[in-house]
Amino acid sequence: MKQPTQWWQNNVVYQIYPRSFQDTNGDGIGDLPGILQRLDYLQWLGIEAVWISPIYESPMEDFGYDVSNYTEIDPLFGNLEDFDQLIHEAHRRNIKIILDYVPNHTSHKHPWFLESKSSRTSPKRDWYIWRDGKEGGPPNNWRSVTNTTVAGSIWEFDEASGQYYLCNFSPIQPDLNWENPEVQEAMFDVLRFWLDRGVDGFRVDMVDFISKDPEFRDEDFEPTSTSDYLTQAKYQCNRPESIHHIRRMHDVIASYPNRVMIGEVPYHATLEQLRNFADPVNGAGMELPFNFRLTYAEMEAKSLKEFIDRYDASCGNDMWPNYNLSNHDRARTSRYGDLAGIAGMLILTLRGTPFIYYGDELNMPNVDVPPERQQDPWLVPETNRTRDECRTPMQWDANAFAGFSKTEPWLPLSPDFQKVNVEAQKSNPQSFLAMYRKLIALRKNTPALTVGSYESLSNIPESSLVYLREHEGEQVLIALNCSDEELIVPLPPKQSDWRVNVSTHMDRDETVANTVTLRPHEGAVLL
Ligand code: GLC
Ligand code: CA
């Protein structure tokens, strides 16, 4: 049994979308020196682990998730020297740096692909997946997964060589052929390159897509939605071969001490699939296969309790839980409206590593980006909106361009930035930011909240979620009122009185006896 004492178990992971964190050279796009400049803020907030979305050379057709050189920093973000300095300064502040790693596909402008495409006999032809068409159409019926519908073919025709190449996402992102040992070695070398430079781990993009059915058989069902398709597909993804490759990636990462591998696995993965990604003996052995369930769950007490109980139990003692509410692909936590505070309190007090997305600590809104300013080429299936809404610049202060840049940023600022910003919330003890900071500190200093057990309570008001975290006799109770009515929550017996230590309203610090009264949408942490 693994004891939960690793840094990636005891810390919150803070995701930075580098284009939108801090611009230092006045081009309206965030950069590495910008992240460096804001390390003090992260330290003040209590962050000890940061995941940075891709910073590699890229034509930016998918904003960095289309890599054209895996071992160079894109000039937009800076250079390797800036990167080394960032690692050095982050480590000096006890902050770990996790990079994104995109193994499934490269940019169509990557020299590997240009060479592969150049002729059927190119030595790199087999680095990607090329096939002849069938009966005047694409080689099989597999679908591209970027769209709201799953109608598009996964195959893109190349006039010059008369063959199709496979691309799970879009024609600008051809899939690498992971069954080719040269590809495997080249991609493992990429990991080593960054590990040697001191990175503390990787968030691995679309990791379950890397292997395809060796016979390229047609999927044999008619999908009704993207998520159904991705859950049911047997040949295009969800392959046992992927588990084998992920395991080998993990071996490379784990050959360096104290590193972590986080995997972007299917949003609708079953608990059994999640176990398989994590299982160190028979599965892939990843430390943290993302648990995305809360990115599409309602803040509704009963269904939350049901899922969290099952997930926590399925993790048991040999798999460490993790929770995500938002990221650069999904809407921000402010989508919960009056329940956003509860969402933040929930994720910061569950058993498992919380992933928080830059700006959610301010309750930054999902911005309605006008069509003429939209950048993202894709739509989110559930909302039918582009992902721009959650990628707008960080709101630092009330100055022009929110302290993010000296010029108009690449995506518009949220119109509320003069009120919702770090500086304003730093000086307000009842702000969202104050709550996040307090919860992060409490979590760090309270073993019951980091390594303690999780048990949800029954016999409580219907619209409340109440759970106990416990470690060596130390107890913490979390009571969340998901309704818009006042609720009286009975408290379990304890030797001394319970004390409300944090409320989402940030206005109480009081001892309570047998019950705690929660105002509408109020959450409380009691010690
Ligand atoms: C992942 C990334 C997303 C990207 C896609 C293709 O889902 O999170 O931003 O567009 O992979 O690389
Ligand atoms: Ca810049």
Side-chain angles (χ1 to χ4, degrees), residues 19 22-33 75-77 404-405:
R19 295 177 71 88
Q22 177 68 56
D23 172 28
T24 56
N25 63 348
D27 62 358
I29 299 174
D31 41 50
L32 291 181
L76 262 184
F77 296 127
F404 165 73
S405 176

Side-chain angles (χ1 to χ4, degrees), residues 411-423:
L411 275 175
L413 284 156
S414 154
D416 69 0
F417 81 85
Q418 275 163 331
K419 278 203 235 109
V420 178
N421 62 60
V422 170
E423 203 174 273

